[in-house]
């Protein structure tokens, strides 16, 4: 999806905004600024350093106490998890807020200040002094190093509790919803857990690299002559270093079999294979993508293997294909060619090396065809739950009388699941391939009352809305940046009775809900919707990601004026 342009949209600094609550909560008797505009500037803090002598704990007695220096070492206790899974801590005796990755609530640790951002700082954990609350043993050997499963050693019940808390705080302090508006069990619902907490991902992408990343505590085990090439996941904070991974507990068993087979032989010098180097732009192998689907007739899993390479040399890949082609679940092996210097997994051309060109999956009674570069919900099992909630919120009468507008429709999965109860579904999406897949999926399921249009919803003009009837229900499922102000204005102008907002980013979701319900003062725009329900859904256990399904209804006075 295209990124949102800066013009016309009041951007949300998710980091700062999500911290506002904590600044109010933790500040000491000395005033700590509650908004970015009133915070002490870097120059002010430097002047404070010159006039305020430091105390024994490294801080001065006045305002400088809120500004620890870069490189300073602090003993901290994690108070809670903030959005994106970072631990929120406060400096003892001062209340100054610091953020630290890979710490969990209740954990006491030593950290070093790496960045200072006015009214908060970032620290890096050096040593754990005492473990966090709800400690469990992480079953994955890479959990401490991989950037994916940050909370695997936190009990699942605690993960849910903190995710729910994050959504509530963002709604309150970014969305500006009062406690009365939310009334927890009436508007904001308890988070829906995921029944399957491992092996739930139907797609994983691994990278080949010429620089293997080894964690510091494992360096002593590294022997001279060890392989420097790696196949795995990018090390956190590095685009050019790869953590070698032999098994991932989030993907299916057959996918792990394929990964193990490739790991076993791809470094063999006789095969003449080389990993792509992002600095020299030389090398052949870029990515290994594994997608798991399901045979709609037998219900058995079927696996697609996608090699992304810098050029088309199938003879180099065939020894690898022969290695795992006898795994029964492997029904498709494709080769995407990406000759650009960029390291994206989407190719300019695609070739089938073995089996068929796509796999299938069923969702809400429909069949979807999935190609190597198709978008599909990553957690199929939980997508069933998510789509059921969307369908319930949409509240279609079922008599075939209603028009549904599906914004950011992707490959049409949401709109197509609603089409059987609607008069017509109109879907809009910026990615051309996604629109092609949506049309194919409609044909595959014999759905004739769905129209899919390619277009950038960030660049709509005054004519948007002229090519379809006024919708009775709007589904909006934007990517992480949320909705552009142009689209917000369109929604407030058209005044559809119901909007179902599906979000993968609760921070931008809270911002957009504020616009739709409370208006945009600086734009002179009045809100005209009431938030009737917000349902958090845990789509990705052990990660900081949170999905939300929100139902908005037009306020009665707005209905009278429309």
């Amino acid at each position: 999806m295209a990124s949102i342009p800066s013009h016309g949209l009041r951007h949300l600094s998710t980091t700062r905004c999500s911290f506002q609550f904590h600044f109010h909560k933790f500040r000491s008797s000395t005033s700590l600024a509650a908004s970015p505009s009133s915070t002490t500037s870097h120059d002010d803090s430097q002047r404070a350093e010159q006039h305020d002598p430091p105390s024994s704990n490294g801080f001065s007695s006045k305002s400088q106490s809120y500004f620890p220096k870069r490189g300073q070492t602090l003993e901290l206790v994690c108070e809670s998890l903030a959005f994106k899974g970072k631990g929120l801590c406060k400096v003892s005796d001062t209340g100054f807020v610091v953020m630290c990755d890979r710490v969990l609530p209740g954990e006491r640790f030593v950290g070093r200040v790496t960045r200072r951002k006015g009214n908060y700082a970032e620290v890096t954990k050096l040593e754990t002094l005492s473990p966090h609350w709800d400690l469990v043993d992480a079953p994955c050997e890479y959990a401490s190093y991989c950037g994916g499963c940050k909370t695997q050693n936190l009990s699942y019940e605690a993960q849910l509790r903190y995710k729910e808390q994050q959504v509530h705080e963002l709604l309150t302090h970014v969305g500006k919803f009062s406690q009365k508006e939310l009334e927890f069990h009436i508007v904001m619902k308890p988070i829906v857990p995921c029944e399957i907490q491992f092996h739930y991902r139907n797609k994983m992408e691994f990278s080949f690299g010429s620089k293997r990343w080894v964690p510091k505590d494992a360096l002593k085990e590294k022997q001279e002559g060890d392989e420097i090439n790696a196949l795995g996941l990018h090390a956190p904070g590095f685009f050019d270093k790869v953590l070698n991974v032999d098994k991932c507990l989030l993907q299916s068993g057959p996918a792990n079999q394929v990964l193990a087979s490739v790991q076993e032989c791809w470094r063999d010098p006789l095969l003449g294979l080389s990993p792509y180097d992002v600095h020299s732009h030389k090398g052949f192998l870029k990515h290994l993508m594994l997608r798991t689907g399901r045979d709609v007739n037998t219900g058995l899993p079927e696996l697609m293997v996608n090699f992304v390479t810098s050029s088309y040399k199938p003879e180099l890949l065939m020894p690898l294909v022969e290695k795992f082609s006898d795994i029964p679940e492997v029904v498709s092996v494709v080769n995407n060619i990406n000759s650009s210097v960029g390291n994206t997994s989407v190719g300019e051309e695609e070739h089938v090396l073995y089996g068929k060109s796509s796999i299938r999956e069923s969702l809400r009674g429909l069949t979807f065809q999935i190609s190597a570069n198709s978008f599909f919900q990553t957690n199929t099992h939980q997508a069933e739950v998510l789509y059921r909630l969307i369908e319930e919120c949409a509240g279609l009468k079922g008599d075939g009388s209603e028009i549904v507008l599906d914004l950011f429709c992707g490959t049409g999965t949401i709109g197509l699941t609603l089409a059987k109860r609607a008069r017509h579904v109109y879907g809009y999406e910026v990615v051309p391939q996604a629109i092609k897949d949506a049309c194919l999926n409609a044909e595959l399921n014999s759905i004739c009352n769905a129209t899919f249009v390619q277009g950038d919803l960030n660049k709509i003009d005054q004519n948007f809305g002229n090519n379809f009837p006024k919708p009775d229900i709007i589904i909006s499922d934007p990517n992480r940046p949320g909705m552009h102000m142009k689209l917000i204005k369109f929604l407030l102008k058209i005044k559809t009775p119901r909007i179902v907002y599906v979000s993968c980013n609760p921070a931008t979701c809270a911002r957009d809900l504020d616009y739709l319900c409370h208006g945009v003062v600086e734009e002179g725009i009045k809100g005209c919707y009431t938030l009737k329900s917000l349902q958090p859904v845990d789509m990705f256990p052990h990660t900081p990601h949170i999905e939300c399904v929100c139902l908005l209804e037009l306020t009665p006075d707005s209905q009278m004026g429309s």
Side-chain angles (χ1 to χ4, degrees):
M1 297 285 285
S3 60
I4 290 182
S6 58
H7 56 81
L9 174 62
R10 190 177 74 184
H11 284 282
L12 167 70
S13 175
T14 55
T15 308
R16 280 189 174 174
C17 289
S18 62
F19 298 159
Q20 293 299 315
F21 163 72
H22 300 287
F23 293 152
H24 284 290
K25 182 177 178 182
F26 294 135
R27 64 181 178 181
S28 64
S29 56
T30 304
S31 175
L32 179 63
S35 66
S37 61
S38 61
T39 54
T40 306
S41 70
H42 179 66
D43 291 338
D44 290 339
S45 66
Q46 285 185 325
R47 284 193 291 270
E49 286 177 11
Q50 294 170 2
H51 294 92
D52 298 331
S55 64
S56 59
N57 63 3
F59 297 104
S60 70
S61 59
K62 297 184 181 179
S63 60
Q64 174 58 19
S65 63
Y66 293 105
F67 295 92
K69 296 179 181 179
R70 183 177 178 181
Q72 187 172 353
T73 301
L74 304 169
E75 184 176 313
L76 300 161
V77 176
C78 178
E79 297 281 348
S80 63
L81 289 181
F83 181 55
K84 297 186 179 180
K86 287 196 174 186
L88 188 146
C89 319
K90 60 178 179 178
V91 177
S92 178
D93 300 327
T94 71
F96 183 75
V97 173
V98 296
M99 306 301 299
C100 185
D101 206 7
R102 297 188 177 278
V103 295
L104 296 168
E107 181 176 353
R108 190 166 62 91
F109 67 99
V110 176
R112 178 180 291 118
V113 178
T114 55
R115 298 178 72 184
R116 201 175 70 187
K117 295 189 174 182
N119 51 8
Y120 76 96
E122 293 181 358
V123 302
T124 298
K125 183 171 73 171
L126 301 178
E127 178 188 4
T128 296
L129 301 177
S130 59
H132 58 81
W133 308 316
D134 303 301
L135 176 68
V136 296
D137 291 329
C140 177
E141 62 180 295
Y142 309 107
S144 300
Y145 317 118
C146 167
C149 303
K150 290 184 178 181
T151 55
Q152 205 179 107
N153 60 346
L154 184 66
S155 73
Y156 188 56
E157 293 75 14
Q159 292 180 37
L160 295 175
R161 187 167 65 248
Y162 288 112
K163 286 184 177 184
E164 197 174 273
Q165 176 186 334
Q166 289 164 33
V167 174
H168 188 272
E169 291 177 2
L170 286 165
L171 275 179
T172 304
H173 303 286
V174 177
K176 302 173 187 173
F177 291 92
S178 66
Q179 286 296 113
K180 184 178 180 181
E181 284 180 281
L182 296 178
E183 289 185 30
F184 186 67
H185 285 288
I186 298 176
V187 173
M188 180 172 164
K189 313 297 183 184
I191 191 169
V192 177
C194 185
E195 292 181 1
I196 302 172
Q197 286 134 43
F198 290 98
H199 307 294
Y200 59 78
R201 286 189 66 97
N202 56 39
K203 176 187 174 185
M204 283 293 295
E205 182 182 306
F206 301 96
S207 296
F208 292 91
S210 58
K211 289 186 178 181
R212 180 185 293 204
W213 182 78
V214 181
K216 287 183 180 180
D217 55 2
L219 284 174
K220 58 184 178 183
E221 302 172 9
K222 184 175 173 64
Q223 301 295 319
E224 187 177 348
D226 275 2
E227 281 287 350
I228 60 169
N229 294 337
L231 168 59
L233 301 170
H234 281 280
F238 295 97
F239 74 97
D240 59 344
K241 296 182 181 179
V242 176
L243 171 69
N244 199 70
V245 172
D246 295 317
K247 181 179 182 181
C248 177
L249 297 186
L250 296 190
Q251 68 177 356
S252 67
N256 274 321
Q257 282 184 270
V258 172
L259 176 61
S261 295
V262 175
Q263 286 282 36
E264 187 178 333
C265 64
W266 78 273
R267 297 179 186 83
D268 186 341
L270 296 177
L271 298 181
L273 297 169
S274 60
Y276 185 75
D277 188 296
V278 295
H279 294 289
S280 67
H281 307 304
K282 295 179 180 179
F284 178 63
L285 294 169
K286 287 191 170 184
H287 300 285
L288 171 67
M289 184 190 294
L290 304 173
R291 302 193 75 149
T292 305
R294 183 171 26 168
D295 187 305
V296 294
N297 296 316
T298 65
L300 296 175
E302 49 182 28
L303 189 69
M304 169 185 281
V305 181
N306 176 20
F307 287 102
V308 182
T309 59
S310 60
S311 59
Y312 182 53
K313 297 177 181 178
E315 68 280 3
L316 293 180
L317 294 174
M318 291 314 296
L320 297 182
V321 177
E322 291 170 4
K323 187 76 175 177
F324 58 73
S325 59
D326 59 344
I327 297 173
E329 292 83 359
V330 176
V331 298
S332 170
V333 182
V334 299
N335 177 202
N336 268 254
I337 314 304
N338 176 16
S339 61
S340 68
V341 295
N343 211 18
T344 177
S345 60
V346 178
E348 301 126 14
E349 56 185 80
E350 182 174 307
H351 303 272
V352 178
L353 301 181
Y354 170 84
K356 51 189 182 179
S357 61
S358 62
I359 56 177
R360 292 188 175 186
E361 183 57 276
S362 60
L363 187 61
R364 301 293 291 163
L366 299 179
T367 299
F368 294 94
Q369 188 159 302
I370 305 169
S371 59
N373 297 312
S374 294
F375 170 79
F376 193 77
Q377 285 287 346
T378 314
N379 183 342
T380 309
H381 179 273
Q382 197 70 337
E384 287 277 354
V385 176
L386 182 74
Y387 283 23
R388 175 177 53 79
L389 291 168
I390 294 169
E391 197 168 335
E392 290 173 358
C393 284
L396 287 163
K397 297 173 185 176
D399 59 1
S401 65
E402 294 161 297
I403 299 294
V404 176
L405 178 60
D406 186 7
L407 302 175
F408 309 96
C409 66
T411 55
T413 49
I414 296 177
L416 292 174
T417 58
L418 300 176
K420 60 182 180 292
R421 298 173 60 82
R423 187 172 93 197
H424 204 92
V425 172
Y426 294 88
Y428 282 80
E429 169 63 47
V430 70
V431 182
Q433 183 58 49
I435 291 296
K436 290 181 182 178
D437 288 340
C439 294
L440 180 64
N441 287 328
E443 183 181 347
L444 189 63
N445 290 281
S446 301
I447 294 174
C448 302
N449 62 333
T451 301
F452 297 100
V453 180
Q454 191 270 326
D456 191 344
L457 290 167
N458 296 332
K459 298 178 181 178
I460 61 173
D461 57 25
Q462 296 297 322
N463 296 319
F464 185 69
N466 294 342
N467 297 326
F468 52 83
K470 182 176 178 178
D472 301 287
I473 298 146
I474 291 178
I475 311 294
S476 183
D477 186 11
N479 55 355
R480 295 189 65 78
M483 295 192 295
H484 195 283
M485 183 57 72
K486 290 181 180 179
L487 187 56
I488 296 284
K489 289 179 179 179
F490 168 78
L491 296 178
L492 292 173
K493 177 184 176 182
I494 198 171
K495 295 184 178 179
T496 295
R498 286 194 304 284
I499 297 175
V500 181
Y501 189 121
V502 186
S503 170
C504 60
N505 183 345
T508 52
C509 174
R511 177 202 64 194
D512 291 347
L513 293 178
D514 175 35
Y515 293 162
L516 293 168
C517 295
H518 306 138
V520 189
V521 176
E522 57 266 41
E523 297 271 352
I525 298 173
K526 292 182 179 180
C528 61
Y529 283 93
T530 299
L531 179 61
K532 303 298 289 186
S533 70
L534 185 147
Q535 178 69 75
V537 181
D538 187 25
M539 294 290 290
F540 306 107
H542 314 300
T543 77
H545 303 295
I546 312 169
E547 202 91 8
C548 293
V549 179
C550 315
L551 173 61
L552 297 130
E553 290 186 356
L554 200 61
T555 55
D557 57 336
S558 297
Q559 287 177 335
M560 293 174 62
S562 61

